[in-house]
Amino acid sequence: MLKIENLHARVEGKDILKGLTLAVNAGEVHAIMGPNGAGKSTLGNVLAGREGYEVTAGSVTFDGVDLLALEPEERAAAGVFLAFQYPVEIPGVNNTYFLRAALNAQRKARGEPELDSMQFLKLVREKLKVMRISDELLHRAVNEGFSGGEKKRNEIFQMAVLEPKLAILDETDSGLDIDALKQVAEGVNALRSPERSFLVVTHYQRLLDYIVPDFVHVLADGRIVESGDKSLALKLEAHGYAWVAEHGEPAG
Ligand code: ADP
Ligand code: MG
Ligand code: MG
């Protein structure tokens, strides 16, 4: 589904990704771990097509299509979702209104009919139920006055409505207490399917107790330096990233 080869990317003239190679098949959950400043968020931003991220070498194909040639909106329409894509508070803009606009923009780009407000409300009700989210969230402005946990839950809800093929979750666990963490993980797990893949960026092994990944990768200095199964996360927790530098086999 997603094939990243020898990706090099630069932010503000600084090389951040330095030959990153990664393949993700449909239905797989890949966890990306690694030290601060390694380039994890940069990877997500490059995949989503965020402004200011310049790809200097390498390729990314998504369902056989050159992802890097697509505009950010086209990537979203193709099914790429980056949680934190909408991190900002948008005072006065109703959450439901915002989400419907985002969904209809995607549908339009795919040549699908847009949903009217009744159809959209029906969809939203279904998703709220599956995600076990209170509908109170809908009536508030986008992220305005949301707690950390509410923001994350809202992102998972956005993901449930937009039904991406590839969901990139960047530090979904940061700032969450254990109950909020479990709820977010439950939401992600409810969305796992053979057609949907996840890239889960996390600092801590703890999240992976709840979202059990098929693969764990260590991203350090702009490259994947080690890959393994979920036991790799436990080794990292026990030994730290320095252990990878000393004992890991460079991958890719
Ligand atoms: P991680 O998510 O692994 O902690 P990031 O991808 O956020 O790492 O950052 C990697 C490096 O790129 C850091 O040195 C960071 O300062 C730099 N960087 C990332 N985004 C920007 C930006 N928008 N402007 C300037 N520097 C950036
Ligand atoms: Mg960081
Ligand atoms: Mg980051």
Side-chain angles (χ1 to χ4, degrees), residues 45-64:
N45 288 325
V46 166
L47 293 177
R50 198 150 174 187
E51 211 176 312
Y53 293 80
E54 185 198 350
V55 173
T56 52
S59 65
V60 180
T61 56
F62 182 64
D63 279 342

Side-chain angles (χ1 to χ4, degrees), residues 61-116:
T61 56
F62 182 64
D63 279 342
V65 171
D66 177 6
L67 190 71
L68 301 176
L70 302 181
E71 295 298 320
E73 306 75 39
E74 295 172 320
R75 298 183 197 197
V80 176
F81 174 88
L82 175 65
F84 280 171
Q85 208 169 357
Y86 318 114
V88 287
E89 300 190 2
I90 314 181
V93 176
N94 178 281
N95 210 9
T96 319
Y97 175 85
F98 179 76
L99 196 49
R100 186 175 150 211
L103 178 65
N104 276 337
Q106 290 192 12
R107 291 182 66 94
K108 203 170 164 194
R110 292 187 197 127
E112 294 166 6
E114 297 183 26
L115 299 185
D116 65 29

Side-chain angles (χ1 to χ4, degrees), residues 2 7 45 49 70-71 82-83 103 106 113 139 142 150 169 175 194 201 204 207 246:
L2 177 72
L7 186 63
N45 288 325
L70 302 181
E71 295 298 320
L82 175 65
L103 178 65
Q106 290 192 12
H139 307 305
V142 179
E150 284 171 335
L169 308 178
V201 174
Y204 299 106
L207 179 72
E246 285 162 29

Side-chain angles (χ1 to χ4, degrees), residues 167-178:
I168 305 161
L169 308 178
D170 193 358
E171 294 195 26
T172 298
D173 48 355
S174 67
L176 296 189
D177 63 34
I178 196 75

Side-chain angles (χ1 to χ4, degrees), residues 87-186:
V88 287
E89 300 190 2
I90 314 181
V93 176
N94 178 281
N95 210 9
T96 319
Y97 175 85
F98 179 76
L99 196 49
R100 186 175 150 211
L103 178 65
N104 276 337
Q106 290 192 12
R107 291 182 66 94
K108 203 170 164 194
R110 292 187 197 127
E112 294 166 6
E114 297 183 26
L115 299 185
D116 65 29
S117 48
M118 290 304 287
Q119 292 166 318
F120 180 71
L121 207 60
K122 186 166 172 274
L123 175 74
V124 157
R125 291 232 168 85
E126 284 167 19
K127 300 298 182 185
L128 284 173
K129 212 162 139 191
V130 178
M131 297 291 110
R132 301 206 291 134
I133 291 170
S134 126
D135 65 359
E136 182 253 349
L137 210 63
L138 294 178
H139 307 305
R140 290 163 62 179
V142 179
N143 285 344
E144 195 179 18
F146 280 23
S147 70
E150 284 171 335
K151 277 188 191 173
K152 298 293 160 78
R153 233 176 296 157
N154 194 38
E155 282 167 7
I156 301 300
F157 172 64
Q158 289 175 347
M159 176 166 76
V161 170
L162 297 175
E163 300 185 326
K165 279 194 203 165
L166 173 69
I168 305 161
L169 308 178
D170 193 358
E171 294 195 26
T172 298
D173 48 355
S174 67
L176 296 189
D177 63 34
I178 196 75
D179 291 334
L181 183 84
K182 278 186 189 166
Q183 200 190 2
V184 164
E186 213 175 273

Side-chain angles (χ1 to χ4, degrees), residues 36-37 40 171 203:
N36 252 325
K40 302 182 297 297
E171 294 195 26
H203 268 304

Side-chain angles (χ1 to χ4, degrees), residues 28-33 189 192 198 200 202 205 207-217 228-231 233:
E28 290 175 351
V29 176
H30 291 241
I32 311 275
M33 304 182 78
N189 287 332
R192 283 178 85 152
F198 292 84
V200 179
T202 181
Q205 192 275 330
L207 179 72
L208 305 181
D209 286 337
Y210 302 105
I211 302 172
V212 180
D214 299 297
F215 300 95
V216 174
H217 308 279
D229 62 14
K230 62 183 183 193
S231 68

